[in-house]
Amino acid sequence: MNTTTLLLKSGLSTFIALLFMVSCKQAKSDKTAESDIQPMAEKRIKLVRNDQERKVDVFIDGNLFTSYIYPTNIKKPVLYPLITPKGTKITRKYPLEPSVGERVDHPHHVGVWFNYGDVNGLDFWNNSDSIKVEKRGSYGTILHKEILGMEDGNEEASLKVAMDWVSNEGKVLLKENTTFIFRGDHDEYSIDRITNLSAPNEKVIFKDNKEGVLGIRVTRELEHPSNKPDIFTDSNGIPTGVPVLNNEGVNGNYINSENIEGDDCWGKRSNWVNLRSNIGDEKISLAILDHTSNAGYPTYWHTRGYGLFAANPLGQEVFSDGKETLNLSLDKGEDVTFKHRIVVASKNLGKAELDSEFANFSKQ
């Protein structure tokens, strides 16, 4: 074989080798590009923002847990509804949705909310569209301002929002920045509500008042059984007087960290209160936990058998029969933070579990 033939063969081999290397490189590059455009796996706890419907939905393992909503027909943003891990709604539908067999009292009791009955003389707690126009100057409104941040996660997800507490004339008394932290597994969900209130323009006084601060209005099955006549929605959703109540399936019972139960939980201080019931075969626990850093700790509880479940650390005079008073005040530029945890479980939560939960929460 002559020299020319050898050179040709050598050159051809080199060319083939180079071509093979380029092809491999291109294939690797193509695979990398494909992997770059593959959708990332969704987190277990996911927030879905919907500005048009004025809400942020919270999903755990694909199931709706709750929504942060700020519609124009209520006077504060709320979490609504609350849904158990097994898919049962445990908040009252009225006045947001048509309902059957629900009380139609207190239209300001909507979902899960945070406000107060006397802030510089204005009532934020009782405000609703049912207030007569000529009386609205005595009431305050909490306005959603913006979503500051959202983060999905496998262990927890967080939502940060800003609100303004305003007078009927639009004067801002308080700036609110709240972080919601959502967690959950197969039979227990939770919400941490961490709320910072600041006084940007003037001194603000939270005058001692029984209406406050963190409240939940529950569905009929979580109420205490009652024989008191009242007004309920009928089969057509129309408010109708009911002289004798049907207590079938109504089996709620409050119990606090001192093992005090039922209506006796009202007006007692306690680290936590648990409202237990069952709907069908599902055992349900709805608990609110106080935090040791909160003003007025341990909080007084405004727990009513008709379905109002509230923690009020600031309204002490009524609950103590006049023995105590707390008029919390913020000078201009000062702020205060409140921390609460809400636990929603498709099981019975016992004292040991909630004591442990409270201790862990209060370390945060």
Side-chain angles (χ1 to χ4, degrees):
M1 189 179 295
N2 59 36
T3 303
T4 302
T5 303
L6 284 171
L7 287 172
L8 284 170
K9 283 190 174 182
S10 175
L12 184 60
S13 299
T14 303
F15 174 74
I16 291 171
L18 285 170
L19 186 62
F20 178 75
M21 290 173 63
V22 169
S23 298
C24 289
K25 211 169 188 180
Q26 183 62 45
K28 186 177 180 182
S29 176
D30 288 345
K31 283 184 179 179
T32 302
E34 285 176 14
S35 66
D36 288 343
I37 63 173
Q38 289 291 324
M40 293 181 66
E42 286 190 351
K43 304 295 186 180
R44 282 188 55 248
I45 308 173
K46 184 175 178 60
L47 307 180
V48 179
R49 178 173 177 171
N50 187 332
D51 292 343
Q52 184 174 358
E53 295 187 16
R54 300 176 68 85
K55 68 175 183 174
V56 178
D57 292 327
V58 181
F59 292 91
I60 298 180
D61 295 322
N63 300 311
L64 181 66
F65 170 31
T66 190
S67 300
Y68 170 79
I69 65 171
Y70 46 102
T72 57
N73 62 337
I74 57 176
K75 302 303 181 182
K76 69 272 186 180
V78 301
L79 296 178
Y80 177 86
L82 278 186
I83 303 175
T84 70
K86 288 192 175 180
T88 303
K89 291 183 180 181
I90 58 172
T91 36
R92 181 178 70 165
K93 294 178 181 178
Y94 176 83
L96 293 183
E97 296 182 65
S99 64
V100 174
E102 286 195 336
R103 299 177 190 268
V104 294
D105 59 87
H106 301 85
H108 49 279
H109 290 175
V110 183
V112 183
W113 68 93
F114 185 101
N115 58 16
Y116 196 62
D118 191 333
V119 181
N120 282 10
L122 295 179
D123 184 351
F124 284 82
W125 179 273
N126 290 289
N127 199 4
S128 74
D129 278 350
S130 68
I131 300 298
K132 294 179 180 179
V133 174
E134 61 270 22
K135 294 185 176 181
R136 290 185 180 178
S138 301
Y139 294 83
T141 301
I142 303 177
L143 301 175
H144 168 84
K145 301 304 291 183
E146 63 177 316
I147 294 172
L148 302 173
M150 291 171 45
E151 186 173 350
D152 299 341
N154 288 320
E155 298 301 321
E156 64 183 42
S158 63
L159 171 66
K160 298 181 180 181
V161 293
M163 311 176 206
D164 284 348
W165 294 42
V166 302
S167 69
N168 196 46
E169 295 81 25
K171 181 173 68 173
V172 177
L173 275 71
L174 293 166
K175 304 286 288 185
E176 175 178 337
N177 283 277
T178 287
T179 299
F180 296 98
I181 300 174
F182 305 98
R183 302 182 182 90
D185 57 26
H186 68 287
D187 61 3
E188 183 176 330
Y189 295 165
S190 70
I191 304 162
D192 290 355
R193 194 189 208 278
I194 304 165
T195 298
N196 178 264
L197 302 174
S198 60
N201 299 315
E202 61 185 274
K203 183 174 182 176
V204 173
I205 299 174
F206 299 81
K207 188 177 179 181
D208 198 302
N209 189 288
K210 76 179 178 68
E211 314 280 32
V213 291
L214 179 70
I216 306 175
R217 185 59 190 265
V218 299
T219 191
R220 177 85 173 117
E221 291 90 341
L222 270 69
E223 295 178 13
H224 284 185
S226 171
N227 294 315
K228 182 182 176 183
D230 214 326
I231 298 175
F232 287 76
T233 50
D234 66 12
S235 58
N236 296 311
I238 299 171
T240 304
V242 178
V244 179
L245 300 193
N246 179 5
N247 287 308
E248 184 179 353
V250 179
N251 49 39
N253 187 44
Y254 294 108
I255 183 167
N256 70 15
S257 57
E258 284 67 49
N259 280 323
I260 296 170
E261 295 191 39
D263 291 331
D264 291 337
C265 288
W266 188 91
K268 302 293 193 303
R269 289 185 183 271
S270 187
N271 289 338
W272 52 262
V273 171
N274 182 20
L275 176 55
R276 295 190 298 199
S277 185
N278 63 275
I279 298 179
D281 294 331
E282 182 182 3
K283 296 177 180 178
I284 294 171
S285 293
L286 172 62
I288 304 176
L289 282 62
D290 195 15
H291 193 285
T292 53
S293 69
N294 287 340
Y297 168 82
T299 188
Y300 278 103
W301 293 89
H302 193 22
T303 50
R304 294 296 196 190
Y306 66 78
L308 171 64
F309 186 6
N312 186 358
L314 304 183
Q316 300 190 2
E317 189 170 3
V318 168
F319 299 120
S320 67
D321 291 326
K323 299 182 184 69
E324 302 167 358
T325 303
L326 176 60
N327 294 304
L328 179 71
S329 66
L330 299 176
D331 287 329
K332 180 180 177 180
E334 289 186 336
D335 68 287
V336 63
T337 297
F338 294 91
K339 299 178 181 180
H340 295 92
R341 176 170 291 176
I342 298 165
V343 182
V344 179
S346 293
K347 61 181 178 180
N348 283 336
L349 292 173
K351 176 175 169 55
E353 291 172 275
L354 287 168
D355 282 343
S356 176
E357 186 102 19
F358 170 80
N360 291 332
F361 178 48
S362 285
K363 293 175 184 175
Q364 298 176 17

